[in-house]
Amino acid sequence: MRIFVQSTSIQSLRDRKFSTPLLHVPLQTTTYSHRYLCLGQLLLRDGQLEAAENVYRQLLSNVPNDVNALIALAQIYERQSLVARAARVYELVLKQDPHHVGAAERRVTALQRIGHYGSAENTLESLMLTLKQESESLSTRSDEQQSTRKQQLFREIRRLQDTLLITREKRVATDEALEFLEQSRELALQGQSSVALVHAKAALKIVPSSRQGIVLTAIGELQESLNLMEDADQTYRQALKETPPDPVSQYRLANMMFRENRFAGAAKLLRVLVEERGTKWMDDTNVIDVLRSEQLMLARCYKKLGRIRDA
């Protein structure tokens, strides 16, 4: 899709105010990049995320590594709950501008949301090192501007240190929770599903919110093995309320509904999975095989419902 921006529309854009926090676009300029950035922001304000994404992609195809376009694109992905993709785009921003504190913090937030605490720590440590090196380079200068910058760097480093401490605590809690979960799986394999369920629930109490979907799915599977179908149903639904939602829980719930002859509900869940598999869940491994199994079950649901054409 090629976007053409007329000069008359650009004149009207100059009179508008834009408030995307991380962008730094001087409104008095009329550069090629500025025109696309302004058009993209107008589309965003109008809620047209896909159109705005196309504008920023068009800009990046002509001006590769434009930092403002990359940031805007990452923010679109955040609004679409494509958190892992947003984190990757923020990483591209940091390659262009290692001092960009805003992009680093947004990347850390995105990584925390998907439970990638180790990568979040690396991002924070790398940025802190960069800022410390800049601060040291200012040590020999005493003019007022340099002194102000040094104070700003000191405050940013202190804030990043606090964020790093919180991130490390979450990583430790996640590791401990996953250890409980692994013990739970081993007990389940030994036929001790009831004891395994206790371990899994213990993991749920300590795991950070970003990884609760995984633990809830494991609990649902154990409840299924104990024939606690109503409990499993509720657990899977709870996992789907997490951010980001757990696609495994969605598939397990659909599978359980199919076995209970609730074909319409199963079809609804599977249709969402199939439609979103190519976007939200592209970070999963073996995506093609998973997508095929979902499509196959969806077709079986449609056959049961008498919707042969859809099948």
Side-chain angles (χ1 to χ4, degrees):
M1 173 180 175
R2 187 170 180 77
I3 306 292
F4 293 93
V5 185
Q6 298 179 356
S7 59
T8 54
S9 65
I10 294 303
Q11 181 65 41
S12 64
L13 289 175
R14 289 199 211 110
D15 299 328
R16 305 217 182 178
K17 292 183 179 180
F18 303 98
S19 58
T20 305
L22 294 181
L23 298 183
H24 307 288
V25 184
L27 297 182
Q28 68 272 18
T29 65
T30 56
T31 63
Y32 175 89
S33 296
H34 173 66
R35 298 181 182 189
Y36 278 81
L37 290 168
C38 288
L39 177 57
Q41 290 185 66
L42 283 179
L43 291 168
L44 281 177
R45 291 173 63 179
D46 195 41
Q48 301 183 51
L49 299 185
E50 291 186 7
E53 180 182 351
N54 287 334
V55 169
Y56 293 130
R57 286 190 174 279
Q58 177 67 25
L59 171 56
L60 288 167
S61 68
N62 291 282
V63 188
N65 300 321
D66 184 290
V67 169
N68 284 320
L70 287 169
I71 289 173
L73 193 60
Q75 291 175 331
I76 290 175
Y77 291 148
E78 286 180 307
R79 291 173 64 174
Q80 294 174 325
S81 295
L82 305 177
V83 186
R85 193 173 296 184
R88 287 199 298 271
V89 177
Y90 283 127
E91 184 178 16
L92 295 177
V93 174
L94 292 172
K95 287 181 179 179
Q96 300 302 314
D97 182 3
H99 292 74
H100 204 307
V101 177
E105 291 182 330
R106 295 291 281 266
R107 172 171 161 78
V108 167
T109 299
L111 290 168
Q112 288 179 338
R113 286 181 64 189
I114 56 178
H116 292 182
Y117 297 111
S119 297
E121 285 184 55
N122 292 338
T123 299
L124 287 167
E125 289 171 347
S126 177
L127 177 60
M128 287 169 60
L129 179 61
T130 300
L131 297 183
K132 285 177 181 178
Q133 290 173 343
E134 181 184 351
S135 178
E136 290 171 359
S137 71
L138 301 174
S139 299
T140 58
R141 305 178 185 179
S142 58
D143 59 274
E144 184 176 348
Q145 184 178 2
Q146 298 294 343
S147 177
T148 300
R149 175 56 179 162
K150 191 169 183 180
Q151 291 175 7
Q152 179 187 7
L153 288 170
F154 177 77
R155 289 193 299 269
E156 289 176 347
I157 291 170
R158 286 291 299 272
R159 189 178 69 255
L160 292 171
Q161 286 174 334
D162 292 340
T163 305
L164 180 60
L165 180 60
I166 294 171
T167 302
R168 283 176 175 165
E169 289 175 348
K170 289 183 176 180
R171 176 178 56 79
V172 171
T174 299
D175 291 344
E176 187 177 352
L178 294 179
E179 186 176 343
F180 270 110
L181 201 58
E182 185 60 32
Q183 293 173 359
S184 171
R185 288 170 177 153
E186 291 177 2
L187 289 166
L189 290 173
Q190 297 170 11
Q192 302 180 52
S193 296
S194 297
V195 182
L197 185 57
V198 173
H199 278 69
K201 288 182 176 180
L204 185 61
K205 292 180 180 179
I206 60 175
V207 72
S209 58
S210 60
R211 303 303 294 272
Q212 284 186 354
I214 297 173
V215 180
L216 285 167
T217 301
I219 291 174
E221 292 172 354
L222 288 167
Q223 289 168 333
E224 272 195 86
S225 68
L226 293 168
N227 206 30
L228 302 172
M229 295 307 179
E230 289 186 8
D231 291 343
D233 188 301
Q234 293 177 5
T235 301
Y236 289 139
R237 291 182 187 279
Q238 185 180 348
L240 296 181
K241 295 177 182 178
E242 298 299 318
T243 304
D246 185 56
V248 178
S249 291
Q250 200 161 346
Y251 180 77
R252 297 284 300 186
L253 180 57
N255 190 36
M256 192 167 67
M257 285 180 165
F258 183 86
R259 294 200 306 269
E260 296 174 353
N261 298 326
R262 292 185 284 167
F263 303 119
K268 182 178 180 181
L269 286 172
L270 289 165
R271 185 168 62 249
V272 172
L273 269 178
V274 168
E275 289 174 353
E276 297 183 353
R277 177 63 67 180
T279 55
K280 289 191 177 181
W281 314 124
M282 278 305 292
D283 295 324
D284 290 4
T285 56
N286 303 317
V287 170
I288 300 301
D289 291 338
V290 173
L291 178 59
R292 285 174 180 167
S293 65
E294 291 164 355
Q295 289 173 326
L296 179 60
M297 181 171 285
L298 180 59
R300 292 170 64 191
C301 288
Y302 283 146
K303 286 181 180 179
K304 294 288 186 180
L305 294 168
R307 296 169 57 178
I308 306 301
R309 288 187 178 180
D310 292 330

